[in-house]
């Protein structure tokens, strides 16, 4: 989908990591499972914004967290924060652009929202 100017994108992420100790057969290194929103500039895939709920295998157990990352041709900036306790529940992610501000919010029910981060585009 193409978005321009001010916009709002909302997704419901309904995934959970495997149980601790479970990994795909043959996988020996750390791995990450992510789902969320990824927006790419037309004609320049290196310019992008991602807001994802990810699960990372650390060798003993899974760690869950959110990451918002912006990448531009002249550099990058981003923010990350762990959100324990959400691993087995659906999570709604909302990314909004108004002017030059990108806002990201989370919700467990799609109605009550919690601000994750504001970022200047």
């Amino acid at each position: 989908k193409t978005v321009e100017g001010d916009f709002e994108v909302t997704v419901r992420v309904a995934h959970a990591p495997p149980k601790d100790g479970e990994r795909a057969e043959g996988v020996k290194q750390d791995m990450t499972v992510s789902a969320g929103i990824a927006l790419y500039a037309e004609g320049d895939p290196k310019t992008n914004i991602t807001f994802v709920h990810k699960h990372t295998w650390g060798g003993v157990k899974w760690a869950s967290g959110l990451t918002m990352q912006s990448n531009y041709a002249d550099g990058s900036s981003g923010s990350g924060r762990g959100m324990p306790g959400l691993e087995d529940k659906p999570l709604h992610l909302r990314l909004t652009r108004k002017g030059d501000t990108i806002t990201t919010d989370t919700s467990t029910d799609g109605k009550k929202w919690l601000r994750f981060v504001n970022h200047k585009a």
Side-chain angles (χ1 to χ4, degrees):
K1 179 177 179 178
T2 301
V3 293
E4 296 179 14
D6 292 349
F7 62 85
E8 178 179 291
V9 177
T10 304
V11 298
R12 180 177 180 266
V13 178
H15 77 290
K19 301 220 182 298
D20 286 347
E22 293 181 357
R23 294 191 294 171
E25 189 173 325
V27 174
K28 297 186 188 323
Q29 71 271 8
D30 292 350
M31 61 187 223
T32 300
V33 179
S34 301
I37 301 167
L39 303 173
Y40 295 86
E42 188 173 0
D44 183 10
K46 291 182 179 181
T47 299
N48 60 68
I49 296 172
T50 58
F51 183 35
V52 297
H53 185 207
K54 69 181 184 177
H55 306 288
T56 304
W57 174 256
V60 176
K61 64 182 219 170
W62 290 92
S64 183
L66 292 172
T67 301
M68 186 273 190
Q69 178 74 38
S70 299
N71 296 300
Y72 301 99
D74 61 354
S76 67
S77 62
S79 177
R81 178 174 69 191
M83 293 193 72
L86 296 176
E87 294 88 351
D88 296 326
K89 300 176 184 175
L91 182 65
H92 299 260
L93 304 177
R94 180 172 67 191
L95 187 146
T96 306
R97 178 181 176 167
K98 284 191 178 183
D100 65 350
T101 301
I102 301 291
T103 303
T104 52
D105 303 290
T106 64
S107 173
T108 55
D109 62 8
K111 297 174 186 168
K112 184 177 177 183
W113 293 90
L114 176 66
R115 179 65 30 97
F116 181 67
V117 69
N118 282 340
H119 176 73
K120 291 289 183 186

